[in-house]
Amino acid sequence: MIYAFINSFIVFFFQSLLIKQLSYKLQNDQIVPAFVMSAIFFGFFVGAITFKKFWFKKTSILYFNFLVSILGLMLVLYVQFIYIGIEKIIYMYKISHGIRMDDLSYAIIAHGSVIITLIFLISFFSIREFLLIQKFFMKNQNSILVAMTYFGSLAASLFYIFLVYKNELEILASVCVAILGILMNIVYIVKLKMYPQIFRKFQFYLALLVSIFVIVFSAKNASLFKFFENRLKFEYLHLITVDKKIDFQYSSYISDIQKIELLTMNSKNAGKVLYLDGSFQLDTTAEKLYHQPFASFAKTIVGKKFEHSEFLILGGGDGFLAAHLFNEFENPKISLVDIDPKVIEIGKKVFNKLNENSLEKVDKIFIDDAFLYLRKSSKKVDGIFLDFPDPHSISIFKLYSSNIYKLAKKNLTEHGFIILDFSSKLNEDYVFNSILSAGFGRVIRFGKGHSFIYADQEEVPFKFDHTIPEWDIQSYRFKSSLDLNKTHSILKPSLRNKL
Amino acid sequence: MKAVHKYSILIFALSFLSMLIEYIISYFVGVFAGAFVFHIIFIISSFILTMGAGSFCAHYVKKYEHFLPNIILVLSIFSLLIPHIFVFANYYFEINNFLIFSYFIVSFIGFLSGFEFPLIFKIKQNKSFSAKFHVDLAIDYLAMMFASLSFLLFQFIDFDILKLCFIMSIVYFLMSLLADESTTISSKILKTLIAVIFYGFYAFNINSIYFYLDEIIVK
């Protein structure tokens, strides 16, 4: 029972580790977990279906266990050294060529497939070990054996939760789990007296040597406590000093949405770059491109109608959008909602000169999930600006669904409007229909280089000032053309039409 | 149909559906409570723990031929109700209570799902089939793999969760009929008739139900 438990623990621990690391690196928490899980189950399937009892002796457990442990160790080392090493080269390339973080994800996907192959092999050998345990030790206790594997995977998940909260231990712990597998091999040999005939001494001493080496290696560096993490950060720092310096690195465990990195450019155009979840968010030298149109388009469309009026910014804790609104409108009353206080902190302490202390002038700042805030709030405002990250995860998905547009409409005055950043990951048709299905009368896509969407409750044609070329009106749609089948909704998560 | 194939179909379908249910619950918790690492891992853990408990308890079930179809029937009802349960839970509960409620629901479904595989294997052994544990396990894992890929694929097509759960519920119901070896044909026909009326009514109103739930989400 204990062997089945540990066997399952090891496999599912690596599963959790990989799901988190790959999801973060590939900026996707939908596709990556599904692929990792599929690889594991496929490994289990192939391992089980090709299993022939008569091929194996009791001692075969030893070989499979050994392979699982060694592959586990290889996986950890690959992820921590080779993969990250290659990622650093990609990172450097991106920095030197000014490429956005997600443009080279195919290179990371290539490494993802190496990792997926390793996890496939681990599960392939692991299921064979499991079946041999069943054959030799628990033949008529299948229910208990299955229960033990579930408990093993549960223990792995709980252990992983612990590591998530103790971030610095994560890498060291994954090495320890691999060592656990190797030590289990020794336990098999000693306790069960399953001395294999041919490789007996070789395997035993190799397992012992590898274990001792890894333990000593880890223990020696455990004085730093965060050896692997420190090494990683040091390397990044070393790499980036050529071009950049990491000012601030922060992983928020209040949500998956916000993993913040703030970099300083040391080039001629010295500026700061903000990454959320490894995804480019803003560059202070070019932020006008994606903040100014929010404010100036609103000003052009609504004219003087909304002077002294109330606006709500959802997201945008960096303070730039608020700054542009203060510049465009006369004494606007602005409230701002952001999920992470750290972004607000950066906006107040790091960007304060660039955003002209806009966050100090803002009427109210709410630290809350934008969706939940709109649900709770009953206050009507004249304009809502939705400044969210790209929809790369489930938690952000709802911020691009028809449901949030319905909530936004609920919080608008009769002539109120919304403006949002158009994500290139979305299909225009779906975005238009989602907004129209929420009860808005007309929707327009505008902006040069970077697209935005404006929507209000009127149902008459727009009167554009075509003398302003930078608006670059790309397309527009009225309520009469609404197609309810093409909408994004929480109950219909067909979001990634463009992937 | 050969009886041995019947059990393979049962293992495949039930395992596929269990995995899909887990994904759907994780999705709802992710959307309504935020995809916090802690929540998602805790949902998976609760499911696995209770599946383990279910498997463990299955060892002590005596009348397993009666027990299995009933469990599948309960799961059939639950799979249909999952979107309703979570949308209403999100409406009525504060976030912490919503999470506690979610853990409870996922644990209940996990516990029932845990019975499935060991009970089918027991029935097979009891019927003196050459019960090959490794083949059954392979089918189980193959189904889980397909479930993982299906949920992924599902997000690329225009298909809502309500319809997915509706189809899952029908498949569960069909599996409960397939697993039911102890009741008479007339009783099976009666069950099927009731189900056809019920599912027919639901299918007829599915779009209205969709829009109703969609409205509840934003209330």
Side-chain angles (χ1 to χ4, degrees), chain B residues 22-164:
Chain B
E22 195 207 313
Y23 279 125
I24 291 172
I25 294 177
S26 298
Y27 169 76
F28 274 121
V29 175
V31 166
F32 290 138
F36 302 165
V37 177
F38 182 80
H39 298 157
I40 295 297
I41 295 182
F42 217 83
I43 284 288
I44 295 171
S45 306
S46 308
F47 195 78
I48 294 168
L49 170 71
T50 46
M51 264 182 104
S55 295
F56 202 83
C57 293
H59 190 65
Y60 303 99
V61 173
K62 299 283 180 214
K63 292 180 178 177
Y64 38 84
E65 286 177 344
H66 295 276
F67 198 65
L68 182 66
N70 288 333
I71 278 185
I72 302 173
L73 205 59
V74 174
L75 283 170
S76 163
I77 296 164
F78 259 90
S79 62
L80 184 71
L81 293 178
I82 282 174
H84 305 249
I85 291 171
F86 280 90
V87 167
F88 277 98
N90 178 52
Y91 174 65
Y92 282 113
F93 297 136
E94 284 297 314
I95 193 152
N96 287 334
N97 292 339
F98 170 79
L99 283 168
I100 293 167
F101 180 78
S102 306
Y103 298 147
F104 173 75
I105 292 291
V106 83
S107 302
F108 182 69
I109 292 173
F111 182 69
L112 294 184
S113 304
F115 280 94
E116 292 165 350
F117 182 72
L119 287 185
I120 295 170
F121 198 75
K122 259 184 168 184
I123 293 170
K124 268 183 89 172
Q125 274 182 326
N126 197 36
K127 298 237 173 220
S128 316
F129 288 123
S130 56
K132 288 178 181 169
F133 185 64
H134 70 281
V135 175
D136 290 342
L137 212 58
I139 295 169
D140 191 45
Y141 287 127
L142 186 70
M144 288 186 182
M145 185 192 85
F146 278 117
S148 303
L149 292 175
S150 306
F151 192 68
L152 183 64
L153 212 66
F154 161 76
Q155 294 175 46
F156 287 90
I157 54 173
D158 282 332
F159 205 66
D160 62 72
I161 287 190
L162 214 61
K163 284 179 189 149
L164 180 70

Side-chain angles (χ1 to χ4, degrees), chain A residues 229-240:
Chain A
E229 295 271 309
N230 281 345
R231 181 185 163 82
L232 172 67
K233 280 178 189 165
F234 171 76
E235 292 292 338
Y236 261 121
L237 209 65
H238 177 68
L239 172 80
I240 286 162

Side-chain angles (χ1 to χ4, degrees), chain A residues 4-43:
Chain A
F5 179 88
I6 295 178
N7 178 291
S8 162
F9 177 84
I10 292 171
V11 175
F12 281 92
F13 175 82
F14 286 123
Q15 173 220 303
S16 303
L17 178 83
L18 285 184
I19 286 180
K20 186 185 168 237
Q21 291 218 351
L22 289 182
S23 297
Y24 174 53
K25 287 183 200 315
L26 299 180
Q27 296 162 36
N28 188 305
D29 68 0
Q30 289 162 293
I31 295 175
V32 170
F35 268 112
V36 172
M37 298 290 276
S38 303
I40 289 175
F41 292 134
F42 189 59

